[in-house]
Amino acid sequence: MDVHGTVAPGFEAVRDVFAGIVAHARGGAAFSVVRRGETVVELWGGLADPDAGTPWERNTLCVLFSGTKGVVAAVVAALDVLDPEAPVRAYWPEFTAEATVGQVLSHTAGLPFVDAEHDLLDTAVCAAMLARQSPLWTPGSRVAYHPLTYGYLVAELLRRTTGRGAGALVREVLARPHDLDLHLGTPPELDARVARLVRAPDYRISTFLDDPERRRIVERMYAGLLDSDELVNSARYRRAELAAASATGTALSMATLYDLLAAGHVAQQAALARASRTWSEGVDALNDRPLRFGLGFELADPIGTYGPAEVAFGHSGAGGGRHGAWPQAQLGFSFVTNELRAEDTDTRAATLLATLYDAL
């Protein structure tokens, strides 16, 4: 399959690695790097719809899954209306757990799943359920990834402080001012541009986890979201404003967003510094995966999620997506793909980031 796009002089090795990824793909992908406002890598290739044989185009949108969390973290930093030290109850009186805003944003609140039958796409109902729910541990005492509940909680905090939904805030704070092809609650007129998601035969979640009892908890956390291709490819999923999982965007727009963040053009310096410092770290209490979080952003961790750079922030996405900034190199990057692979066998983003680092 052909690779399209351009690279700046000195980044040819990145194109070679990307070409190898596309050559062995069932689906498609895109990889972009923006440095100080200049696009130095913009590549795409493969199939946006493997079943129909539709090629990936320059403007193909891809579901970002948890890359959405980084987008919403950028909104939180840009608005700077939530005090991370304040109790959630200060903004949301019905919330019963003794958790702070910072604990919600750094995945230590102890509310990793909705403990009742629910529609995972009904964000208002899920938020109301979580407000009444007792945490699994004392908030702040353990770190464990909150794959969907992060979105319900943060979106409700934003609604309480701004009166706006998460999708509107992504549009008004990020997409429109910075001309980003980025959407939370993707409108129908863009459906034809969205890549169809496919799972590799061995795709699975929580690849660090062996304990069967905690595996059952993890299954509750994901609520069946990644069990089949049907839901994640549905219009209903794309329309939902899941502030943890359902945004769509292009690699170029995501790389541009992180470049703008690193350059101080989205959030004030103090707010970004606060959001990108360590608020929680350790081995996930449920998933056994090493974690390090800022306020909604993932940070450079012991397993090299963000490549060789010692300082990095961003957010990965289920199946292989990787989006972030290397502040010291003054750049943003994004790898998007519609072919979901298991974390323990997927080397695509890691190889691209290692090659990018060498090219700098």
Side-chain angles (χ1 to χ4, degrees), residues 34-69:
V34 179
R35 190 179 195 190
R36 296 189 293 269
E38 178 189 358
T39 301
V40 295
V41 175
E42 186 185 8
L43 300 168
W44 66 91
L47 298 175
D49 186 337
D51 295 332
T54 306
W56 198 288
E57 303 288 353
R58 185 172 187 258
N59 69 345
T60 294
L61 295 166
C62 192
V63 171
L64 302 174
F65 288 117
S66 287
T68 307
K69 293 181 178 71

Side-chain angles (χ1 to χ4, degrees), residues 308-343:
E310 294 183 4
V311 178
F313 66 90
H315 216 291
S316 55
R322 199 77 48 87
H323 325 278
W326 290 345
Q328 294 174 336
Q330 299 178 294
L331 63 76
F333 59 83
S334 173
F335 174 71
V336 299
T337 178
N338 63 339
E339 184 176 344
L340 280 61
R341 298 184 185 176
E343 183 177 20

Side-chain angles (χ1 to χ4, degrees), residues 270-353:
L272 181 63
R274 185 170 61 243
S276 58
R277 71 170 174 84
T278 302
W279 284 77
S280 66
E281 62 183 324
V283 175
D284 191 307
L286 297 174
N287 274 301
D288 287 343
R289 184 190 189 277
L291 299 174
R292 187 164 167 247
F293 284 109
L295 295 176
F297 293 116
E298 291 179 331
L299 307 179
D301 58 31
I303 59 174
T305 302
Y306 290 90
E310 294 183 4
V311 178
F313 66 90
H315 216 291
S316 55
R322 199 77 48 87
H323 325 278
W326 290 345
Q328 294 174 336
Q330 299 178 294
L331 63 76
F333 59 83
S334 173
F335 174 71
V336 299
T337 178
N338 63 339
E339 184 176 344
L340 280 61
R341 298 184 185 176
E343 183 177 20
D344 59 342
T345 59
D346 186 6
T347 62
R348 293 171 295 178
T351 305
L352 283 166
L353 292 180

Side-chain angles (χ1 to χ4, degrees), residues 107-162:
H107 297 261
T108 66
L111 295 167
F113 57 82
V114 179
D115 192 15
E117 288 296 320
H118 65 285
D119 176 356
L120 70 89
L121 301 184
D122 193 334
T123 59
V125 168
C126 288
M129 289 179 172
L130 287 168
R132 301 188 297 268
Q133 191 170 309
S134 297
L136 295 184
W137 55 79
T138 301
S141 65
R142 300 180 184 180
V143 58
Y145 188 50
H146 290 43
L148 292 174
T149 56
Y150 165 95
Y152 305 139
L153 296 168
V154 177
E156 185 63 16
L157 281 165
L158 288 170
R159 189 182 72 81
R160 298 277 175 146
T161 51
T162 70

Side-chain angles (χ1 to χ4, degrees), residues 97-252:
E98 299 291 338
T100 66
V101 171
Q103 288 163 351
V104 167
L105 287 164
S106 61
H107 297 261
T108 66
L111 295 167
F113 57 82
V114 179
D115 192 15
E117 288 296 320
H118 65 285
D119 176 356
L120 70 89
L121 301 184
D122 193 334
T123 59
V125 168
C126 288
M129 289 179 172
L130 287 168
R132 301 188 297 268
Q133 191 170 309
S134 297
L136 295 184
W137 55 79
T138 301
S141 65
R142 300 180 184 180
V143 58
Y145 188 50
H146 290 43
L148 292 174
T149 56
Y150 165 95
Y152 305 139
L153 296 168
V154 177
E156 185 63 16
L157 281 165
L158 288 170
R159 189 182 72 81
R160 298 277 175 146
T161 51
T162 70
R164 308 290 284 161
L169 290 173
V170 168
R171 184 168 58 252
E172 295 164 8
V173 175
L174 302 179
R176 283 181 182 166
H178 302 291
D179 195 24
L180 302 176
D181 198 354
L182 182 61
H183 316 274
L184 181 58
T186 304
E189 60 268 25
L190 299 182
D191 280 351
R193 289 173 48 203
V194 179
R196 180 168 182 79
L197 300 160
V198 293
R199 296 182 302 158
D202 63 345
Y203 179 68
R204 61 204 185 286
I205 59 173
S206 303
T207 59
F208 287 77
L209 179 61
D210 293 321
D211 182 87
E213 183 174 343
R214 280 183 289 144
R215 172 68 65 178
R216 287 191 288 273
I217 295 175
V218 168
E219 289 169 356
R220 297 185 71 184
M221 288 160 54
Y222 284 90
L225 176 64
L226 299 171
D227 289 350
S228 73
D229 298 342
E230 182 177 356
L231 175 60
V232 294
N233 283 306
S234 68
R236 185 167 178 257
Y237 179 74
R238 292 192 294 276
R239 302 288 178 270
E241 296 182 11
L242 289 186
S246 69
T248 62
T250 63
L252 180 59

